[in-house]
Amino acid sequence: MQGQSARGNCLSSTSEKAAIEIQGVSRYYGHDPYKVTALENIHLAIRENEFFTLLGPSGCGKTTLLRLIAGFDFPSAGAILLYGENIAPLPPFKRPVNTVFQSYALFPHMTVAENIGFGLKMLGKPKEEMQARVEEMLSLVHMVPMRDRQVSQISGGQQQRVALARALAPKPKVLLLDEPLSALDYKLRKEMQIELKRVQAETGITFVFVTHDQEEALTMSDRIAVMSSGSVRQVGTPREIYDRPADRFVADFIGESNFLSASVLQRHGATAEVRLSNGAVIEAALPAMQADRDAITIVIRPEHAALTPAGGGTFDGILTDAIYFGTDTHYHLTLDDGTAFIVREQNSRADRLLHDKGARVGVQLGQAAAQILGAE
């Protein structure tokens, strides 16, 4: 899941200048005693030219925050700044932002080119300028051969490209994308992830992307804000979020994780010596904000562990299942203290000895495999 991405293999052109600043934004619905909190005191800075993702489960507040930036809703408290100007009081049509919706909202009676030019027409752009911009957008999203087709005559992926081109045509300073890939099948969704990244890189426009798909967020983003229950739990690059989750929620939501109880024996620098429940002593990385506490929880990603013969690793357990995923196999174990644990090992083309279910096996941890989680 961690995988290499097009984003991770190139240098980012993101500037440090903030395009959007979310300053103490809250959104409440209703009144006491029936008040519902959708967002609570959100602080975020989204950089210019950045592909920024709001990631979290359903109901966490990510779409609400996107709607506040778009102007479809208004904050109960706080300010939303676009290049230093507070846009929170402005209606949507007075904000230099545009939105690509999950449903695309294309006009079925119009051609591809007419859909792309619709916003420009509503802005009263001269005909020659509008035609030139439509041709530019058709080329950008690789839809020139489809320009005269009705949108009902093109595929879902092509409709997504048209919706993207229409939103980009008026040259917004920020493009908001509300789970635009969720209706596509897996293979097409993967292709469109690459296309969205290409378009964002070519246009240099700040993208704010909403998704509940962790793999999608890790693949596409410059930075990610992980949200839960109306608050932001962690902001960081995909690698920071995956390798150094701030707390148990982030570690559990992003990918697969193993959680073990432990106690701190000694702290030294950025790591600590900890004792597991089975008595094994290992080194674990300390979180950035580490409270002075002895009883802790450590997280270990499944790919940072390997199976060994019983007694030959850090701890032992019983193999309860082995799930083949093509590129790798996930081994599910029950450790001696009853804790569930997953080991993920890559498969090679050569035949390899698979462990039998019910067998007693050992688990060997890789270097820097364990991290102590911050307090919730």
Side-chain angles (χ1 to χ4, degrees), residues 7 40 44 54 85 93 103-104 127 136 139 146 155 172-173 205 234 249 293 349 351 360 362:
R7 197 65 179 183
E40 183 67 52
L44 279 176
L54 302 174
E85 177 188 358
F93 64 89
S103 62
Y104 308 151
K127 185 176 180 181
E136 183 182 350
S139 178
M146 306 290 182
S155 69
K173 291 184 177 180
I205 293 175
Q234 185 175 359
F249 174 83
R293 54 198 170 94
R349 296 188 65 180
D351 292 334
R360 185 167 181 79

Side-chain angles (χ1 to χ4, degrees), residues 216-229:
E216 198 165 81
L218 292 173
T219 300
M220 301 173 68
S221 311
D222 290 312
R223 288 189 305 146
I224 301 168
V226 182
M227 299 184 65
S228 172
S229 302

Side-chain angles (χ1 to χ4, degrees), residues 335-351:
L335 304 185
D336 289 345
D337 65 356
T339 303
F341 197 92
I342 300 174
V343 174
R344 186 166 72 207
E345 294 187 348
Q346 265 197 315
N347 299 324
S348 65
R349 296 188 65 180
D351 292 334

Side-chain angles (χ1 to χ4, degrees), residues 66-248:
L66 199 78
R67 287 174 56 82
L68 295 181
I69 298 171
F72 302 136
D73 199 358
F74 298 93
S76 304
I80 301 173
L81 274 59
L82 181 65
Y83 290 98
E85 177 188 358
N86 185 10
I87 61 171
L90 300 180
F93 64 89
K94 289 192 175 182
R95 303 185 185 200
V97 303
N98 222 336
T99 306
V100 177
F101 299 98
Q102 184 175 351
S103 62
Y104 308 151
L106 298 174
F107 300 111
H109 63 286
M110 293 183 182
T111 66
V112 165
E114 288 168 345
N115 266 279
I116 293 173
F118 179 79
L120 299 172
K121 186 177 182 180
M122 292 298 98
L123 291 172
K125 297 294 183 182
K127 185 176 180 181
E128 294 77 12
E129 179 183 338
M130 185 173 69
Q131 289 177 340
R133 184 62 176 167
V134 168
E135 291 302 321
E136 183 182 350
M137 291 296 98
L138 284 166
S139 178
L140 178 69
V141 298
H142 300 163
M143 288 291 290
V144 172
M146 306 290 182
R147 65 180 327 281
D148 296 320
R149 289 196 185 181
Q150 302 288 322
V151 294
S152 60
Q153 298 174 323
I154 60 177
S155 69
Q158 291 168 335
Q159 289 179 17
Q160 203 272 349
R161 292 169 189 255
V162 175
L164 179 63
R166 183 179 65 180
L168 289 170
K171 299 182 180 179
K173 291 184 177 180
V174 174
L175 186 67
L176 310 175
L177 302 104
D178 187 11
E179 304 211 42
L181 308 182
S182 61
L184 305 178
D185 62 55
Y186 179 78
K187 185 176 181 180
L188 185 55
R189 190 163 68 247
K190 299 294 289 183
E191 292 174 358
M192 290 310 303
Q193 288 172 11
I194 296 171
E195 282 297 293
L196 277 179
K197 281 306 309 164
R198 178 187 62 80
V199 169
Q200 190 271 332
E202 289 187 17
T203 61
I205 293 175
T206 301
F207 278 25
V208 182
F209 187 85
V210 163
T211 185
H212 63 273
D213 188 312
Q214 310 128 36
E215 184 177 351
E216 198 165 81
L218 292 173
T219 300
M220 301 173 68
S221 311
D222 290 312
R223 288 189 305 146
I224 301 168
V226 182
M227 299 184 65
S228 172
S229 302
S231 65
V232 175
R233 306 299 286 262
Q234 185 175 359
V235 179
T237 66
R239 186 171 293 278
E240 289 168 347
I241 295 289
Y242 187 87
D243 288 344
R244 292 289 179 261
D247 56 34
R248 181 162 182 153

